[in-house]
Amino acid sequence: MSLILISSERFAEHQTPPGHPERAERAEVMDQVASRWRARGGEVVAPRAATTEQLARVHAREYIGLIAETAGRAVALDPDTYTSPESHEIVLLAAGAAVEAVERVMGAGSGAALAMVRPPGHHAERHRAMGFCLYNNVAVAAAHARAQGAARVAIVDYDVHHGNGTQHIFESDASVLYVSVHQFPFYPGTGSAEEIGTGGGLGLTVNLPLEAGAVDDDYRIVFEEVVVPVVRQFRPELLLVSAGFDAHERDPLAGMRLSADAFAAMTAALRRVAEECCDGRMVLVTEGGYDLHALAASLQAVVETLASPSLEPGSIRWPSSAIPSNRGRAAAAAAKRALAPFWRFI
Ligand SMILES: [Zn+2]
């Protein structure tokens, strides 16, 4: 599998107050992963800024104007979301990285791209910034893929928080499937199993709300019983992943207990289904992840999984935590109940 990393050292310039979890050191971890990839002969591409046209497919023009006015200034946009004077340029590069990743993968017709960006995007709504997110990078990517001719795009979001912005942007859109696995109840409050989309998008919002404390086996169950079967039946022409690493056991913001190997297993499971549905076309866009060691290990595990030459059927090795937990079964059962009219489940 060919893998391209989209990254920019400039992401570190999006600075937040000292002690804030969305700090520049995250960008440095991403730079280290990119350097290691380059040292192995891998391709690392610097992103271009997203255009207003690309952003306006998923954000209101008044909102894009409001964010442009923060250029050169430090502004608090919501209780968690700040800009530094450089942030305006950086958020355009982050959304542009997601666009670049889509163009590379769609242009090549196969392969994967990993856009290592900050700030994250999945809480950003059409009209407002929220939860460290200014522009919804993965939503901009999905809309760009549609504009490039992809009839159906799937987004799988395994960040520990529910991607309220992504869900709301596409909830009535029959061409975009949104599947989220997240801690619930938790920030931002949305993401119950009963939220299944609206209008033409009914059944195309799939939420797997896991109680705090979920372990690797819980994620295996929801992936095997719901995430993979639904994506397979939807038959996307491109698979996008909101790759957040804050469900790791060391993360300071959330209460899940995933190992770095579980991120490799989720990536492998998604790669398999992308290979079945769309010649392996897959774009990962980073979201949260606030423990630097966990972020480094998990990102590296994802890169290794995508760079490995082939995945044989049955080769996905889920780590077992040996901690009994019923959280995965409960979340899978709730999602199946809510979505039974729309999908076939095992
Ligand atoms: Zn998160």
Side-chain angles (χ1 to χ4, degrees):
M1 179 126 172
S2 63
L3 169 67
I4 300 163
L5 266 51
I6 321 284
S7 188
S8 169
E9 291 179 5
R10 294 209 54 206
F11 290 141
E13 294 170 33
H14 169 73
Q15 187 60 282
T16 44
H20 197 275
E22 180 53 17
R23 291 277 294 164
E25 288 86 348
R26 277 185 68 209
E28 288 161 21
V29 167
M30 292 170 174
D31 289 344
Q32 287 160 14
V33 172
S35 309
R36 224 171 290 141
W37 180 242
R38 200 183 276 118
R40 281 163 60 172
E43 191 177 3
V44 181
V45 176
R48 290 167 296 180
T51 64
T52 301
E53 226 39 61
Q54 290 163 352
L55 297 170
R57 293 176 184 136
V58 299
H59 288 289
R61 287 192 184 262
E62 317 86 80
Y63 175 68
I64 297 168
L66 186 132
I67 296 301
E69 285 170 19
T70 70
R73 298 194 295 140
V75 179
L77 293 165
D78 98 327
D80 300 315
T81 316
Y82 301 83
T83 67
S84 57
E86 299 81 8
S87 289
H88 181 244
E89 283 176 62
I90 305 310
V91 296
L92 293 179
L93 285 178
V99 167
E100 185 83 38
V102 167
E103 290 193 346
R104 296 267 169 166
V105 168
M106 300 278 288
S110 66
L114 168 61
M116 293 195 293
V117 305
R118 71 185 301 279
H122 70 157
H123 297 306
E125 298 274 359
R126 194 175 282 280
H127 298 91
R128 72 181 173 112
M130 188 174 155
F132 316 143
C133 304
L134 282 82
Y135 287 131
N136 194 316
N137 306 312
V138 83
V140 172
H144 192 68
R146 292 276 300 120
Q148 299 271 93
R152 288 176 309 283
V153 178
I155 304 171
V156 174
D157 183 338
Y158 60 64
D159 186 281
V160 77
H161 302 97
H162 180 243
N164 56 289
T166 315
Q167 173 172 307
H168 292 147
I169 287 166
F170 296 115
E171 64 188 351
S172 63
D173 189 334
S175 60
V176 179
L177 170 71
Y178 178 66
V179 183
S180 178
V181 184
H182 49 270
Q183 185 173 324
F184 186 88
F186 197 45
Y187 182 90
T190 48
S192 78
E194 288 71 37
E195 295 165 33
I196 59 168
T198 60
L202 205 60
L204 296 175
T205 294
V206 176
N207 281 307
L208 290 144
L210 289 165
E211 200 183 302
V215 296
D216 296 347
D217 287 319
D218 293 309
Y219 277 72
R220 177 181 58 75
I221 287 166
V222 297
F223 264 68
E224 288 178 352
E225 296 191 6
V226 179
V227 178
V228 168
V230 167
V231 173
R232 187 182 285 133
Q233 288 166 62
F234 183 66
R235 293 183 300 109
E237 294 181 3
L238 175 69
L239 176 59
L240 294 172
V241 182
S242 260
F245 300 98
D246 40 10
H248 191 282
E249 59 192 342
R250 293 182 54 148
D251 196 89
L253 292 197
M256 297 310 210
R257 294 184 282 179
L258 281 191
S259 64
D261 287 345
F263 291 98
M266 289 193 282
T267 306
L270 294 171
R271 179 179 163 184
R272 279 288 307 157
V273 73
E275 285 173 351
E276 278 175 48
C277 296
C278 50
D279 296 322
R281 288 190 296 275
M282 186 172 173
V283 166
L284 297 88
V285 182
T286 57
E287 301 284 357
Y290 305 97
D291 178 89
L292 296 179
H293 295 288
L295 177 63
S298 307
L299 261 179
Q300 196 59 42
V302 166
V303 168
E304 297 301 336
T305 305
L306 293 173
S308 64
S310 71
L311 283 178
E312 300 305 322
S315 68
I316 301 165
R317 275 188 294 278
W318 282 89
S320 181
S321 41
I323 302 169
S325 168
N326 198 37
R327 295 168 181 81
R329 295 215 176 283
K336 288 179 191 178
R337 257 195 316 275
L339 291 157
F342 305 97
W343 307 102
R344 291 184 306 281
F345 296 107
I346 49 169

